[in-house]
């Protein structure tokens, strides 16, 4: 691949960008282990790095990351770099094109702090949506629920 020859590293991010916390072991195996094998077969080289979709992970998910043979995995927790656990390396999400000044700001202590708060708020939002979905099934709109628009 041209981008690999130009020095880019290619990692893996699952087959469907699923929230891995919600998957049973069979689906985790398919998303992580089988998906990595399929990608490596297509690329014809080994993929060493994994990025957790939306930053969601658990001990069970980490077991599958290790089982698949990844050397390291990246979160979006917005913490300082923790090199003690290579399965929980922090990364900073980047969207679109950014300038060198924006990059410096994002990598500053304040930038890392703000990014961490933002990423945690996205996780909290998703968990709240899951809770709401678990209480109110689609089409079950009884009078006991009040919905705000």
């Amino acid at each position: 691949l041209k981008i690999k020859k130009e020095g880019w590293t290619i990692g893996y991010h699952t087959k469907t960008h699923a929230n891995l916390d919600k998957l049973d072991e069979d689906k985790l195996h398919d998303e992580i282990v089988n998906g990595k094998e399929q990608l490596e077969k297509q690329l014809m080289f080994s993929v060493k790095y994994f990025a957790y979709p939306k930053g969601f992970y658990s001990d069970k998910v980490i077991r599958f990351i290790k089982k698949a043979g990844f050397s390291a995995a990246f979160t979006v927790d917005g913490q300082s770099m923790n090199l003690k656990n290579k399965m929980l390396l922090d990364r900073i999400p980047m969207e679109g094109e950014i300038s060198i000044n924006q990059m410096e700001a994002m990598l500053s202590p304040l930038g890392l702090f703000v990014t961490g708060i933002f990423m945690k708020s996205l996780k909290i939002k998703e968990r709240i949506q899951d809770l709401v979905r678990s209480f109110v099934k689609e089409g079950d709109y009884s009078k006991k629920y009040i919905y705000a628009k």
Side-chain angles (χ1 to χ4, degrees):
L1 285 173
K2 183 179 178 182
I3 62 173
K4 187 171 193 255
K5 289 177 186 173
E6 292 178 358
W8 289 82
T9 300
I10 298 172
Y12 184 62
H13 199 54
T14 72
K15 292 166 72 172
T16 65
H17 205 257
N19 181 339
L20 299 176
D21 278 352
K22 297 178 183 178
L23 302 183
D24 62 31
E25 294 200 358
D26 288 339
K27 288 182 182 173
L28 280 172
H29 190 274
D30 186 51
E31 284 282 337
I32 298 168
V33 179
N34 293 345
K36 178 180 187 271
E37 289 171 358
Q38 291 167 359
L39 178 62
E40 289 175 337
K41 186 176 179 180
Q42 288 178 331
L43 295 174
M44 296 187 291
F45 60 82
S46 177
V47 177
K48 298 178 183 179
Y49 305 106
F50 183 84
Y52 301 102
K54 302 175 190 171
F56 288 108
Y57 60 89
S58 65
D59 290 341
K60 180 171 73 170
V61 171
I62 293 170
R63 280 196 319 273
F64 279 89
I65 301 304
K66 290 178 179 178
K67 181 178 181 178
F70 288 101
S71 300
F74 297 87
T75 72
V76 288
D77 289 341
Q79 313 263 332
S80 60
M81 187 60 75
N82 173 6
L83 298 177
K84 293 178 185 173
N85 187 344
K86 290 185 179 182
M87 296 298 132
L88 295 175
L89 298 174
D90 201 19
R91 67 184 170 103
I92 300 169
M94 304 269 176
E95 298 283 334
E97 295 182 25
I98 62 170
S99 70
I100 191 70
N101 290 339
Q102 290 170 315
M103 171 85 73
E104 288 174 353
M106 290 175 77
L107 295 174
S108 72
L110 178 60
L112 292 172
F113 177 74
V114 171
T115 299
I117 290 172
F118 177 72
M119 295 311 297
K120 284 180 177 73
S121 71
L122 292 178
K123 286 182 179 181
I124 291 169
K125 176 185 172 190
E126 183 149 330
R127 299 227 190 262
I128 290 170
Q129 288 172 334
D130 290 344
L131 279 171
V132 169
R133 281 187 214 106
S134 72
F135 287 114
V136 181
K137 295 185 173 120
E138 195 170 324
D140 179 22
Y141 302 106
S142 64
K143 291 180 182 178
K144 64 182 176 180
Y145 299 110
I146 300 172
Y147 297 95
K149 292 187 178 187

